[in-house]
Amino acid sequence: MARLLRPLIRGTTYTRLLHLWVPMLFVSVWLFIDMSKPWVPAVLLLPLGLIPAVRLGEGVQAQLLLTPGERGAPDAAITVAPSATWRDRLRTVVWLEARMALGVVAMGITVWLPVLAVDLARLSFGYVPDDNPLLPVSGSHWAYALLVPLPLIVLYTAVVGLGELITAIARRLLGPSAAERVAALEERTERLLERTRIARELHDSIGHALTVAVVQAGAARAAGDPAFTDRALGAIEDTGRAALEDLERVLGVLRESDRPASSRPTLAEADRLLESARASGAKVDAEVTGRLETVPGPVSREGYRILQESLTNVLRHAGAVPVRVRIAVEEQALSLEVRNPLTAEISGRGGSGLRGIRERAALLGGDARTGPDDGDWQVHAELPLR
């Protein structure tokens, strides 16, 4: 019983009834003008529904009155946006007609069913109403008192049922179109890709800085040379500052969704990575062919991160070994290769860093190969320039 009566204490029941009553205000005004043509308001809704902004207004009303505060957030099944296509306009027209039709039903039952209950009670006391078309009786009787709850039960059921029905119709006719669902899906995908990119940025930047710092600190402690220790501490300081700058860039993306990607480092700053690796003890032989400043921004930024992760892996797994870096800006693609002697510490299985390199290349439509090659460990990436 408590479950059946629960809608009586829910505010949604009454806001939905109010939503059904609103169109009747316009119908009532028209009936004062010309009662002989009650169908005119329904005809006027046809051109009204074709106006794009009407869908926006109806969506706002539906969210406020049909699903107020449900699940703690606006109902995503009801769109708050103007009509973008003729299909949206036609759905809005159907919605307006359905809302008015159900509004007529709601107004009728909320007026006549309470009147019927009152007239049944009056009949039980001997008064015979002569102006109630729902009660064509000619005599009174005390037994009519037993029928008084029946119209109230029907009223309760009809109000709750009509509220559920109009809400279901709103979600169907005011819901997102196929194009809007695709746009929402693309937006969610973009957010996921952005979060993945940020995770890679943090992994590559902070991982590189920590690897350089660990290698430098270990080398300084083992060397026992004050001059070398000073150089190592200077390299750790420079690498830490660079890592803080990278961290600030990444956090800036989190703070400002519209922050331009151009604030991220590019291959034009590759010398910073090479010097950091040399300061860690690696013998870096670098060769750059072509003009790095002509490489498109997205390609240059991802190439920088691929180079950074490659050098980080060398320092982390192979230590201070000779490293050959080849960067070539060709007509159609950017070629980037990092090779170092294969050691026992290097695993051919790879990890998140190598996976990130392949993902970055694939994101640009390119290709990256990582693994043993002729006694060396190789990272070779081809990134298309167009």
Side-chain angles (χ1 to χ4, degrees), residues 7 40 46 54 80 194 199 234 253 348 370 375:
V40 170
L46 297 177
V54 171
V80 181
E194 181 68 9
V253 174
T370 61

Side-chain angles (χ1 to χ4, degrees), residues 46 49 89-99 169 173:
L46 297 177
R89 292 182 175 94
L90 293 177
R91 291 170 68 197
T92 305
V93 170
V94 175
W95 157 254
L96 291 175
E97 298 291 351
R99 182 182 179 186
I169 294 175
L173 297 177

